[in-house]
Amino acid sequence: MIDLMNVSYDTQIPNNVGLSSDKRVLKALEKWHPGYINWWNDLIPENFQQSLVYLRTAVSVDPKGWAKFDYVKMPEYRWGVLLAPHVEDRKIPCGEHAGQPAWQEVPGEYRNMLKRLIVIQGDTEPASVEQQKFLGRTAPSLYDMRNLFQVNVEEGRHLWAMVYLLHKYFGKDGREEADDLLRRSSGSEEAPRMLGAFNEATPDWLSFFMFTYFTDRDGKMQLESLAQSGFDPLSRTCRFMLTEEAHHMFVGETGVGRIIERTCQVMKENGIEDPYDVDRIRSYGVLDLPTVQKKLNLHYTLSLDLFGQEVSTNAANAFNAGIKGRYMEHRIDDDHKLVNDTYSVCDLEGDAVVRRDVPALTAINMRLRDDYSRDASGGVGRWNKILEKAGVAFELKLPHEAFNRKIGVFANKEFNPEGKLVSGAEYDAGVKNWLPTHADGDYIQSLMVPEYEPGKYAGWIAPPKVGIDNKPGDFEYVKLHMA
Amino acid sequence: MHAGAACQGGALVTKVIDFRTDPSRYRHWRVEYDGDVANLYMDVDENGGLFDGYLLKLNSYDLGVDIELADIVQRMRFEHPEVKVVVMRSGKDRVFCAGANIRMLGGASHAHKVNFCKFTNETRNTFEAAEVDSGQKYICAVKGSCAGGGYELALACNYIMLTDDSTSSVALPEVPLLAVLPGTGGLTRVTDKRKVRRDRADVFCSIEEGVKGKRALDWRLVDEVVPNATFDETVDQRAKEFAAASSKPTGKGIALGPLERTIADDGSVTYSLVEVDVERDSRKVTITLKGPDAPAPSSIEQLHAQGDQSYLLRLARELDDAILHLRLNEAELGLVVFRSQGDPEAVLAHEKLLTDNEGDWLAREILQFWKRVLKRVDVTSRSLVALVEHGSCFAGVLAEILWAVDRSYMMEGEFEGDNRPIATVTLSDVNFGRFPMANDLTRLQTRFLGEPGAVEALKGKIGEPLEAEDANAAGLVTEIFDDIDWDDEIRIFMEERASFSPDAMTAMEANLRFAGPETMETRIFGRLTAWQNWIFQRPNAVGPDGALKRYGSGVRGDYNMERV
Ligand SMILES: [Fe+2]
Ligand SMILES: [Fe+2]
């Protein structure tokens, strides 16, 4: 364990922000760190705390070699504070200050707006670790367990990154907010996490893969827009977080892909042609494709809600202030101010879903959501390639964005996955085919038995094509501590 | 308020308005001293307007006229403590005073009108309070027409005498004539001070020609109506009677010498005890109050010998001038930062000499003046913040500043490379009643409106230099920050504050500053002023066809008849 009393922050915390000479931040981190370690220890079951996990640790921001792989006990993980390299002469990319030098200090007039954005982002990072805290017990392989923990420690590092910004730039308020990030907890009655999707349970590994594919991708989009921030330290922080986030989505995409691969394999082996022959497919202990589709529907739509209202003044203010940009702002060919531009957003006209033009400034959320949907469709295409290659007649689809929404113009209205407004009765009849039922959950749970032997995989998931850090198939990714 | 048509408004913004004057420079008033009575004549030089474009006809006034009046009232107290009664009269035939100059108002920017009204209100409050504060009673002897701002001058006097010559009247014709309000306390004093029945007040304020003779007395608009033949004689007699009845402590006055100041190119102003540092880019001005530069006088005689050079009087004069200068001449400096540097013990020693000699007229006047300066700070429409830094001297009289401002920040603990004495706040007796605000409560009472016990408890801490944690626990400052946080927190607060809408800030601050009961004074500065300023934005008064613009053209204002 780390000696809490004598943490040498400059040597133990990989950083490129001159921590050792920043007494202000050091003092704040010293106060915050014990609470963080407690949070971590309370969260992850003891035997996993003591296990040696083959993890990558970010030690620099050099694109050629920013990470180091080694066995480490999670509480001793070196959560670093790393910002992407400083770009000389960086300008504020958008809004009314576009073209002015990027802020190196918090501009007083946007302090609260910035703080709120950082707190919201920061709140999601530990939330997902909380949501996934029991999954180690049912890991389908040591490889997957290692991936879970890798995602977890990196979400922990992302929390650090946000806490660093709060400590460094937001004074007393910032320290209080940093403490509150540890006080709130996912699903808690008393102090839940700030965003809905981060209070939902992640009860099984299919959920975990869907979550890392869809919800971490929302995280990616939010980080992409914050990476465009005129507040340079935030931009640099988020740019570096994106390099790690890519791995999380990789875990999600390949996880779902391996499930599909295994299901196809079992269907073929047993001569099952009809993907809807659910009972038979399940009798072989694999996940049927309709259930995979239902889980996809759920996680995609929950993630869409994270983008907020289609038309939003908050988002407009943040963009106009230069606090938050659009996805790939620098590649967009316009004035980056959106004074007279329009953008088409989803709306309801009677029963029909339409798009209508609104001032582009107010449609920042909608635009990011559209970018997200495009981004999310890529992996779905690759999953369908697996099905195609296996010769299974089934196609996974992103549901219509009106389906199953709690936020925005479609909120709490009965749409089917094709985006058609249906009657209550039609909805009740259809929903069991659209969203996972409790029975589906029971079945998935029944498959969740751990496989702790190196090189072995649970029967419902195929092994990965290649190992992490190019390790061989029987590599012991986690040396379990069996107390 | 009172009046208006059109002059070149442009002139109003470029000229620096200087509030410093002295009798040798008066153009509009003269004073004749007659023992314990002073006769004050308003005799406005119509060519003596502060700006071009209007003539000050019929004893109408502009800011320049009022600056002289304020100077007279101030000197009356310090240079002429022997005066017990001041008789305000007109130096012109057939007119007492026509009120604020309408062409001046018609041409003035909104901001100038508002600041003009505020200053005239403060001046009226000052001579109105002179009777209670100093035992100087103001009699208004009205001969000729006394309309609008003229009657408001009279209303602020302690005793109004009207000649019964069958033409002289008192009037508030603003509403029918100009579509604005009698906003220099007029409406409020009619109801709250003179306690005129509301329906009669309604009648009175709706008729141009006003009320004269016996009816003016019956309606309590004046205190005495006197036959014209014996008017002057009766006024003199009343003055003598009032003077004889007064127990005001008197003595030999002190001279209020010229107030020295230098204004740098960037607008920063330096006085002997007050530094005004302008940071135009951040729309901020820092006012540093220096602690005593000499030991406290050893006796009351020595205080008199020091006269206008004594510490608190000099500080008060300089701060007063600085505030007025910023209000009228530096409209864009929206954030005023108060700091102090000096020895808190020395501040308390100077204060003690004054409070130990309550019976001495000068000691009393200095404390009363400080009360007025603090009130001036209270109603200053800028965001006010105090920084209690190491080496500061917010003790007793100066500590009052901390509760006049909107927020205060205090240094906590040692700061690297800073060897000034650690920041403290020290309470003294004066914080518990000597300096009431417009709401008639002390600043501490107002601050702790919801926990009156807290004020009682604070009395136990009198004389104890409270460091940051204690001051914070006692609720005396808004926030305390240590070395690590100080610079950033202060910078961010100031940047944020400077970014807000100045209108919203002015309105919010004015609403938050005066918690608690309403008084005539708060009603004038709050209700009456707010309504007047609303009217000053409305086309019915100030639009191209509004009454102020059309005044004098023979054509009435063209009103939009929609009720808002
Ligand atoms: Fe993350
Ligand atoms: Fe992530």
Side-chain angles (χ1 to χ4, degrees), chain A residues 23-24 27 105-109 111-112 170-172 175, chain B residues 416 479-485 488-489 491-492 495-496 499:
Chain A
K23 66 170 183 162
R24 169 202 164 93
K27 188 177 152 195
E105 292 289 335
V106 176
E109 60 180 309
R111 179 195 212 199
N112 291 327
F170 296 88
K172 218 177 196 174
R175 292 196 294 273
Chain B
E416 208 178 297
E479 290 259 27
I480 58 177
F481 294 119
D482 61 14
D483 189 13
I484 285 177
D485 286 334
D488 238 30
E489 293 284 351
R491 174 186 66 80
I492 284 178
E495 283 183 15
E496 179 193 70
S499 74

PDB file of all heavy atoms in Angstrom, chain A residues 23-24 27 105-109 111-112 170-172 175, chain B residues 416 479-485 488-489 491-492 495-496 499:
ATOM      1  N   LYS A  23       2.933  24.297  -4.717  1.00  0.00           N
ATOM      2  CA  LYS A  23       2.555  23.949  -3.346  1.00  0.00           C
ATOM      3  C   LYS A  23       1.057  24.061  -3.114  1.00  0.00           C
ATOM      4  O   LYS A  23       0.473  23.341  -2.333  1.00  0.00           O
ATOM      5  CB  LYS A  23       3.312  24.811  -2.338  1.00  0.00           C
ATOM      6  CG  LYS A  23       2.961  26.272  -2.397  1.00  0.00           C
ATOM      7  CD  LYS A  23       3.563  27.028  -1.230  1.00  0.00           C
ATOM      8  CE  LYS A  23       3.112  28.476  -1.327  1.00  0.00           C
ATOM      9  NZ  LYS A  23       3.241  29.254  -0.129  1.00  0.00           N
ATOM     10  N   ARG A  24       0.433  24.932  -3.883  1.00  0.00           N
ATOM     11  CA  ARG A  24      -0.998  25.113  -3.750  1.00  0.00           C
ATOM     12  C   ARG A  24      -1.745  23.844  -4.121  1.00  0.00           C
ATOM     13  O   ARG A  24      -2.553  23.327  -3.350  1.00  0.00           O
ATOM     14  CB  ARG A  24      -1.377  26.255  -4.688  1.00  0.00           C
ATOM     15  CG  ARG A  24      -2.801  26.470  -4.937  1.00  0.00           C
ATOM     16  CD  ARG A  24      -2.928  27.245  -6.270  1.00  0.00           C
ATOM     17  NE  ARG A  24      -4.284  27.143  -6.750  1.00  0.00           N
ATOM     18  CZ  ARG A  24      -5.218  28.027  -6.483  1.00  0.00           C
ATOM     19  NH1 ARG A  24      -4.954  29.070  -5.742  1.00  0.00           N
ATOM     20  NH2 ARG A  24      -6.424  27.862  -6.951  1.00  0.00           N
ATOM     21  N   LYS A  27      -0.859  20.838  -1.776  1.00  0.00           N
ATOM     22  CA  LYS A  27      -1.565  20.880  -0.497  1.00  0.00           C
ATOM     23  C   LYS A  27      -3.001  20.384  -0.664  1.00  0.00           C
ATOM     24  O   LYS A  27      -3.511  19.617   0.136  1.00  0.00           O
ATOM     25  CB  LYS A  27      -1.558  22.320   0.035  1.00  0.00           C
ATOM     26  CG  LYS A  27      -2.082  22.456   1.440  1.00  0.00           C
ATOM     27  CD  LYS A  27      -1.980  23.904   1.909  1.00  0.00           C
ATOM     28  CE  LYS A  27      -3.060  24.208   2.946  1.00  0.00           C
ATOM     29  NZ  LYS A  27      -3.263  25.618   3.179  1.00  0.00           N
ATOM     30  N   GLU A 105      -5.397  31.048 -17.756  1.00  0.00           N
ATOM     31  CA  GLU A 105      -6.027  31.121 -16.440  1.00  0.00           C
ATOM     32  C   GLU A 105      -7.529  31.176 -16.660  1.00  0.00           C
ATOM     33  O   GLU A 105      -7.981  31.558 -17.732  1.00  0.00           O
ATOM     34  CB  GLU A 105      -5.597  32.403 -15.704  1.00  0.00           C
ATOM     35  CG  GLU A 105      -4.133  32.441 -15.292  1.00  0.00           C
ATOM     36  CD  GLU A 105      -3.830  31.475 -14.166  1.00  0.00           C
ATOM     37  OE1 GLU A 105      -4.758  31.145 -13.397  1.00  0.00           O
ATOM     38  OE2 GLU A 105      -2.663  31.050 -14.075  1.00  0.00           O
ATOM     39  N   VAL A 106      -8.275  30.824 -15.632  1.00  0.00           N
ATOM     40  CA  VAL A 106      -9.727  30.869 -15.768  1.00  0.00           C
ATOM     41  C   VAL A 106     -10.185  32.311 -15.936  1.00  0.00           C
ATOM     42  O   VAL A 106      -9.877  33.146 -15.099  1.00  0.00           O
ATOM     43  CB  VAL A 106     -10.401  30.301 -14.510  1.00  0.00           C
ATOM     44  CG1 VAL A 106     -11.909  30.444 -14.604  1.00  0.00           C
ATOM     45  CG2 VAL A 106     -10.017  28.858 -14.319  1.00  0.00           C
ATOM     46  N   PRO A 107     -10.907  32.619 -17.007  1.00  0.00           N
ATOM     47  CA  PRO A 107     -11.463  33.975 -17.093  1.00  0.00           C
ATOM     48  C   PRO A 107     -12.598  34.104 -16.070  1.00  0.00           C
ATOM     49  O   PRO A 107     -13.509  33.282 -16.043  1.00  0.00           O
ATOM     50  CB  PRO A 107     -11.992  34.058 -18.527  1.00  0.00           C
ATOM     51  CG  PRO A 107     -12.109  32.643 -19.007  1.00  0.00           C
ATOM     52  CD  PRO A 107     -11.253  31.769 -18.142  1.00  0.00           C
ATOM     53  N   GLY A 108     -12.506  35.129 -15.237  1.00  0.00           N
ATOM     54  CA  GLY A 108     -13.457  35.275 -14.127  1.00  0.00           C
ATOM     55  C   GLY A 108     -14.905  35.215 -14.550  1.00  0.00           C
ATOM     56  O   GLY A 108     -15.742  34.631 -13.878  1.00  0.00           O
ATOM     57  N   GLU A 109     -15.198  35.798 -15.726  1.00  0.00           N
ATOM     58  CA  GLU A 109     -16.612  35.860 -16.084  1.00  0.00           C
ATOM     59  C   GLU A 109     -17.175  34.500 -16.471  1.00  0.00           C
ATOM     60  O   GLU A 109     -18.380  34.313 -16.472  1.00  0.00           O
ATOM     61  CB  GLU A 109     -16.851  36.891 -17.193  1.00  0.00           C
ATOM     62  CG  GLU A 109     -16.126  36.631 -18.474  1.00  0.00           C
ATOM     63  CD  GLU A 109     -16.433  37.714 -19.511  1.00  0.00           C
ATOM     64  OE1 GLU A 109     -17.609  37.978 -19.736  1.00  0.00           O
ATOM     65  OE2 GLU A 109     -15.477  38.288 -20.062  1.00  0.00           O
ATOM     66  N   ARG A 111     -16.049  31.651 -14.981  1.00  0.00           N
ATOM     67  CA  ARG A 111     -15.588  30.709 -13.983  1.00  0.00           C
ATOM     68  C   ARG A 111     -16.655  29.671 -13.622  1.00  0.00           C
ATOM     69  O   ARG A 111     -16.390  28.475 -13.599  1.00  0.00           O
ATOM     70  CB  ARG A 111     -15.203  31.462 -12.709  1.00  0.00           C
ATOM     71  CG  ARG A 111     -14.755  30.532 -11.641  1.00  0.00           C
ATOM     72  CD  ARG A 111     -14.726  31.217 -10.302  1.00  0.00           C
ATOM     73  NE  ARG A 111     -13.636  30.627  -9.523  1.00  0.00           N
ATOM     74  CZ  ARG A 111     -13.540  30.722  -8.218  1.00  0.00           C
ATOM     75  NH1 ARG A 111     -14.416  31.395  -7.541  1.00  0.00           N
ATOM     76  NH2 ARG A 111     -12.549  30.149  -7.585  1.00  0.00           N
ATOM     77  N   ASN A 112     -17.846  30.128 -13.364  1.00  0.00           N
ATOM     78  CA  ASN A 112     -18.865  29.194 -12.906  1.00  0.00           C
ATOM     79  C   ASN A 112     -19.293  28.232 -13.998  1.00  0.00           C
ATOM     80  O   ASN A 112     -19.528  27.054 -13.749  1.00  0.00           O
ATOM     81  CB  ASN A 112     -20.056  29.957 -12.338  1.00  0.00           C
ATOM     82  CG  ASN A 112     -19.679  30.635 -11.036  1.00  0.00           C
ATOM     83  OD1 ASN A 112     -18.863  30.114 -10.285  1.00  0.00           O
ATOM     84  ND2 ASN A 112     -20.234  31.805 -10.784  1.00  0.00           N
ATOM     85  N   PHE A 170      -9.688  26.567  -9.409  1.00  0.00           N
ATOM     86  CA  PHE A 170     -10.971  27.027  -8.885  1.00  0.00           C
ATOM     87  C   PHE A 170     -10.996  27.223  -7.374  1.00  0.00           C
ATOM     88  O   PHE A 170     -12.062  27.296  -6.775  1.00  0.00           O
ATOM     89  CB  PHE A 170     -12.092  26.072  -9.333  1.00  0.00           C
ATOM     90  CG  PHE A 170     -12.277  26.074 -10.825  1.00  0.00           C
ATOM     91  CD1 PHE A 170     -11.549  25.219 -11.630  1.00  0.00           C
ATOM     92  CD2 PHE A 170     -13.147  26.975 -11.416  1.00  0.00           C
ATOM     93  CE1 PHE A 170     -11.689  25.248 -13.008  1.00  0.00           C
ATOM     94  CE2 PHE A 170     -13.300  27.005 -12.788  1.00  0.00           C
ATOM     95  CZ  PHE A 170     -12.562  26.143 -13.596  1.00  0.00           C
ATOM     96  N   GLY A 171      -9.793  27.313  -6.770  1.00  0.00           N
ATOM     97  CA  GLY A 171      -9.706  27.711  -5.362  1.00  0.00           C
ATOM     98  C   GLY A 171     -10.575  26.904  -4.416  1.00  0.00           C
ATOM     99  O   GLY A 171     -10.780  25.704  -4.584  1.00  0.00           O
ATOM    100  N   LYS A 172     -11.099  27.618  -3.453  1.00  0.00           N
ATOM    101  CA  LYS A 172     -11.888  26.993  -2.398  1.00  0.00           C
ATOM    102  C   LYS A 172     -13.100  26.237  -2.954  1.00  0.00           C
ATOM    103  O   LYS A 172     -13.350  25.093  -2.592  1.00  0.00           O
ATOM    104  CB  LYS A 172     -12.379  28.108  -1.474  1.00  0.00           C
ATOM    105  CG  LYS A 172     -12.389  27.780  -0.019  1.00  0.00           C
ATOM    106  CD  LYS A 172     -12.833  29.028   0.751  1.00  0.00           C
ATOM    107  CE  LYS A 172     -12.498  28.913   2.222  1.00  0.00           C
ATOM    108  NZ  LYS A 172     -12.779  30.163   2.953  1.00  0.00           N
ATOM    109  N   ARG A 175     -12.056  23.033  -4.522  1.00  0.00           N
ATOM    110  CA  ARG A 175     -11.753  21.957  -3.568  1.00  0.00           C
ATOM    111  C   ARG A 175     -13.030  21.341  -3.025  1.00  0.00           C
ATOM    112  O   ARG A 175     -13.128  20.134  -2.838  1.00  0.00           O
ATOM    113  CB  ARG A 175     -10.894  22.510  -2.425  1.00  0.00           C
ATOM    114  CG  ARG A 175      -9.495  22.915  -2.886  1.00  0.00           C
ATOM    115  CD  ARG A 175      -8.549  23.076  -1.716  1.00  0.00           C
ATOM    116  NE  ARG A 175      -8.915  24.177  -0.844  1.00  0.00           N
ATOM    117  CZ  ARG A 175      -8.522  25.438  -1.024  1.00  0.00           C
ATOM    118  NH1 ARG A 175      -7.760  25.743  -2.047  1.00  0.00           N
ATOM    119  NH2 ARG A 175      -8.871  26.381  -0.185  1.00  0.00           N
TER     120      ARG A 175
ATOM    121  N   GLU B 416       3.716  34.258   2.114  1.00  0.00           N
ATOM    122  CA  GLU B 416       5.145  34.181   1.823  1.00  0.00           C
ATOM    123  C   GLU B 416       5.677  35.543   1.381  1.00  0.00           C
ATOM    124  O   GLU B 416       5.082  36.191   0.517  1.00  0.00           O
ATOM    125  CB  GLU B 416       5.370  33.145   0.728  1.00  0.00           C
ATOM    126  CG  GLU B 416       6.729  32.500   0.793  1.00  0.00           C
ATOM    127  CD  GLU B 416       6.859  31.445  -0.295  1.00  0.00           C
ATOM    128  OE1 GLU B 416       6.099  30.463  -0.253  1.00  0.00           O
ATOM    129  OE2 GLU B 416       7.724  31.638  -1.179  1.00  0.00           O
ATOM    130  N   GLU B 479     -15.392  36.106   3.186  1.00  0.00           N
ATOM    131  CA  GLU B 479     -14.570  34.911   2.985  1.00  0.00           C
ATOM    132  C   GLU B 479     -13.165  35.216   3.464  1.00  0.00           C
ATOM    133  O   GLU B 479     -12.718  36.362   3.405  1.00  0.00           O
ATOM    134  CB  GLU B 479     -14.471  34.550   1.501  1.00  0.00           C
ATOM    135  CG  GLU B 479     -15.748  34.030   0.891  1.00  0.00           C
ATOM    136  CD  GLU B 479     -15.774  32.523   0.742  1.00  0.00           C
ATOM    137  OE1 GLU B 479     -15.096  31.810   1.530  1.00  0.00           O
ATOM    138  OE2 GLU B 479     -16.467  32.058  -0.167  1.00  0.00           O
ATOM    139  N   ILE B 480     -12.473  34.186   3.897  1.00  0.00           N
ATOM    140  CA  ILE B 480     -11.054  34.357   4.205  1.00  0.00           C
ATOM    141  C   ILE B 480     -10.273  33.423   3.291  1.00  0.00           C
ATOM    142  O   ILE B 480     -10.726  32.326   2.977  1.00  0.00           O
ATOM    143  CB  ILE B 480     -10.756  34.053   5.686  1.00  0.00           C
ATOM    144  CG1 ILE B 480     -11.176  32.624   6.054  1.00  0.00           C
ATOM    145  CG2 ILE B 480     -11.476  35.045   6.587  1.00  0.00           C
ATOM    146  CD1 ILE B 480     -10.830  32.234   7.483  1.00  0.00           C
ATOM    147  N   PHE B 481      -9.131  33.886   2.833  1.00  0.00           N
ATOM    148  CA  PHE B 481      -8.309  33.064   1.949  1.00  0.00           C
ATOM    149  C   PHE B 481      -6.863  33.101   2.417  1.00  0.00           C
ATOM    150  O   PHE B 481      -6.366  34.158   2.829  1.00  0.00           O
ATOM    151  CB  PHE B 481      -8.373  33.583   0.510  1.00  0.00           C
ATOM    152  CG  PHE B 481      -9.726  33.459  -0.114  1.00  0.00           C
ATOM    153  CD1 PHE B 481     -10.414  34.581  -0.542  1.00  0.00           C
ATOM    154  CD2 PHE B 481     -10.317  32.214  -0.265  1.00  0.00           C
ATOM    155  CE1 PHE B 481     -11.667  34.472  -1.119  1.00  0.00           C
ATOM    156  CE2 PHE B 481     -11.572  32.089  -0.848  1.00  0.00           C
ATOM    157  CZ  PHE B 481     -12.249  33.222  -1.274  1.00  0.00           C
ATOM    158  N   ASP B 482      -6.211  31.969   2.316  1.00  0.00           N
ATOM    159  CA  ASP B 482      -4.802  31.940   2.690  1.00  0.00           C
ATOM    160  C   ASP B 482      -3.927  32.295   1.487  1.00  0.00           C
ATOM    161  O   ASP B 482      -4.419  32.549   0.387  1.00  0.00           O
ATOM    162  CB  ASP B 482      -4.441  30.585   3.314  1.00  0.00           C
ATOM    163  CG  ASP B 482      -4.666  29.448   2.340  1.00  0.00           C
ATOM    164  OD1 ASP B 482      -4.834  29.715   1.129  1.00  0.00           O
ATOM    165  OD2 ASP B 482      -4.674  28.289   2.782  1.00  0.00           O
ATOM    166  N   ASP B 483      -2.641  32.256   1.742  1.00  0.00           N
ATOM    167  CA  ASP B 483      -1.633  32.620   0.748  1.00  0.00           C
ATOM    168  C   ASP B 483      -1.867  31.896  -0.578  1.00  0.00           C
ATOM    169  O   ASP B 483      -1.741  32.459  -1.663  1.00  0.00           O
ATOM    170  CB  ASP B 483      -0.257  32.238   1.332  1.00  0.00           C
ATOM    171  CG  ASP B 483       0.876  32.770   0.485  1.00  0.00           C
ATOM    172  OD1 ASP B 483       0.618  33.624  -0.378  1.00  0.00           O
ATOM    173  OD2 ASP B 483       2.020  32.344   0.701  1.00  0.00           O
ATOM    174  N   ILE B 484      -2.249  30.621  -0.457  1.00  0.00           N
ATOM    175  CA  ILE B 484      -2.383  29.790  -1.650  1.00  0.00           C
ATOM    176  C   ILE B 484      -3.541  30.260  -2.523  1.00  0.00           C
ATOM    177  O   ILE B 484      -3.441  30.286  -3.749  1.00  0.00           O
ATOM    178  CB  ILE B 484      -2.584  28.321  -1.206  1.00  0.00           C
ATOM    179  CG1 ILE B 484      -1.240  27.783  -0.725  1.00  0.00           C
ATOM    180  CG2 ILE B 484      -3.149  27.491  -2.320  1.00  0.00           C
ATOM    181  CD1 ILE B 484      -1.303  26.369  -0.200  1.00  0.00           C
ATOM    182  N   ASP B 485      -4.615  30.629  -1.915  1.00  0.00           N
ATOM    183  CA  ASP B 485      -5.817  30.941  -2.702  1.00  0.00           C
ATOM    184  C   ASP B 485      -5.995  32.425  -3.020  1.00  0.00           C
ATOM    185  O   ASP B 485      -6.705  32.781  -3.943  1.00  0.00           O
ATOM    186  CB  ASP B 485      -7.065  30.488  -1.935  1.00  0.00           C
ATOM    187  CG  ASP B 485      -7.222  28.982  -1.971  1.00  0.00           C
ATOM    188  OD1 ASP B 485      -6.711  28.380  -2.932  1.00  0.00           O
ATOM    189  OD2 ASP B 485      -7.831  28.422  -1.043  1.00  0.00           O
ATOM    190  N   ASP B 488      -5.696  34.232  -6.692  1.00  0.00           N
ATOM    191  CA  ASP B 488      -6.613  33.708  -7.691  1.00  0.00           C
ATOM    192  C   ASP B 488      -8.066  34.006  -7.360  1.00  0.00           C
ATOM    193  O   ASP B 488      -8.851  34.406  -8.215  1.00  0.00           O
ATOM    194  CB  ASP B 488      -6.437  32.188  -7.761  1.00  0.00           C
ATOM    195  CG  ASP B 488      -6.060  31.769  -9.157  1.00  0.00           C
ATOM    196  OD1 ASP B 488      -5.411  32.581  -9.839  1.00  0.00           O
ATOM    197  OD2 ASP B 488      -6.443  30.666  -9.550  1.00  0.00           O
ATOM    198  N   GLU B 489      -8.415  33.792  -6.107  1.00  0.00           N
ATOM    199  CA  GLU B 489      -9.808  34.002  -5.716  1.00  0.00           C
ATOM    200  C   GLU B 489     -10.202  35.466  -5.919  1.00  0.00           C
ATOM    201  O   GLU B 489     -11.279  35.771  -6.401  1.00  0.00           O
ATOM    202  CB  GLU B 489     -10.035  33.620  -4.247  1.00  0.00           C
ATOM    203  CG  GLU B 489      -9.894  32.137  -3.970  1.00  0.00           C
ATOM    204  CD  GLU B 489     -11.100  31.328  -4.433  1.00  0.00           C
ATOM    205  OE1 GLU B 489     -12.127  31.927  -4.820  1.00  0.00           O
ATOM    206  OE2 GLU B 489     -10.998  30.087  -4.428  1.00  0.00           O
ATOM    207  N   ARG B 491      -8.737  37.686  -7.886  1.00  0.00           N
ATOM    208  CA  ARG B 491      -8.738  38.029  -9.313  1.00  0.00           C
ATOM    209  C   ARG B 491     -10.037  37.528  -9.968  1.00  0.00           C
ATOM    210  O   ARG B 491     -10.706  38.270 -10.696  1.00  0.00           O
ATOM    211  CB  ARG B 491      -7.542  37.376 -10.019  1.00  0.00           C
ATOM    212  CG  ARG B 491      -7.547  37.564 -11.535  1.00  0.00           C
ATOM    213  CD  ARG B 491      -6.433  36.782 -12.231  1.00  0.00           C
ATOM    214  NE  ARG B 491      -6.580  35.347 -12.132  1.00  0.00           N
ATOM    215  CZ  ARG B 491      -7.394  34.615 -12.909  1.00  0.00           C
ATOM    216  NH1 ARG B 491      -8.115  35.196 -13.834  1.00  0.00           N
ATOM    217  NH2 ARG B 491      -7.483  33.309 -12.750  1.00  0.00           N
ATOM    218  N   ILE B 492     -10.387  36.308  -9.681  1.00  0.00           N
ATOM    219  CA  ILE B 492     -11.560  35.735 -10.342  1.00  0.00           C
ATOM    220  C   ILE B 492     -12.833  36.442  -9.904  1.00  0.00           C
ATOM    221  O   ILE B 492     -13.700  36.741 -10.722  1.00  0.00           O
ATOM    222  CB  ILE B 492     -11.614  34.218 -10.093  1.00  0.00           C
ATOM    223  CG1 ILE B 492     -10.578  33.572 -10.997  1.00  0.00           C
ATOM    224  CG2 ILE B 492     -12.999  33.664 -10.360  1.00  0.00           C
ATOM    225  CD1 ILE B 492     -10.456  32.105 -10.871  1.00  0.00           C
ATOM    226  N   GLU B 495     -12.932  39.726 -11.795  1.00  0.00           N
ATOM    227  CA  GLU B 495     -13.230  39.558 -13.221  1.00  0.00           C
ATOM    228  C   GLU B 495     -14.699  39.224 -13.420  1.00  0.00           C
ATOM    229  O   GLU B 495     -15.362  39.738 -14.309  1.00  0.00           O
ATOM    230  CB  GLU B 495     -12.370  38.446 -13.828  1.00  0.00           C
ATOM    231  CG  GLU B 495     -10.938  38.874 -14.092  1.00  0.00           C
ATOM    232  CD  GLU B 495     -10.117  37.773 -14.758  1.00  0.00           C
ATOM    233  OE1 GLU B 495     -10.709  36.793 -15.273  1.00  0.00           O
ATOM    234  OE2 GLU B 495      -8.897  37.902 -14.758  1.00  0.00           O
ATOM    235  N   GLU B 496     -15.172  38.356 -12.562  1.00  0.00           N
ATOM    236  CA  GLU B 496     -16.578  37.961 -12.689  1.00  0.00           C
ATOM    237  C   GLU B 496     -17.476  39.168 -12.460  1.00  0.00           C
ATOM    238  O   GLU B 496     -18.393  39.440 -13.229  1.00  0.00           O
ATOM    239  CB  GLU B 496     -16.913  36.864 -11.679  1.00  0.00           C
ATOM    240  CG  GLU B 496     -18.358  36.429 -11.755  1.00  0.00           C
ATOM    241  CD  GLU B 496     -18.758  35.575 -10.569  1.00  0.00           C
ATOM    242  OE1 GLU B 496     -18.861  36.115  -9.443  1.00  0.00           O
ATOM    243  OE2 GLU B 496     -18.952  34.376 -10.764  1.00  0.00           O
ATOM    244  N   SER B 499     -17.777  41.578 -15.183  1.00  0.00           N
ATOM    245  CA  SER B 499     -18.400  41.087 -16.413  1.00  0.00           C
ATOM    246  C   SER B 499     -19.923  41.165 -16.361  1.00  0.00           C
ATOM    247  O   SER B 499     -20.583  41.055 -17.382  1.00  0.00           O
ATOM    248  CB  SER B 499     -17.979  39.637 -16.672  1.00  0.00           C
ATOM    249  OG  SER B 499     -18.646  38.751 -15.783  1.00  0.00           O
TER     250      SER B 499
END
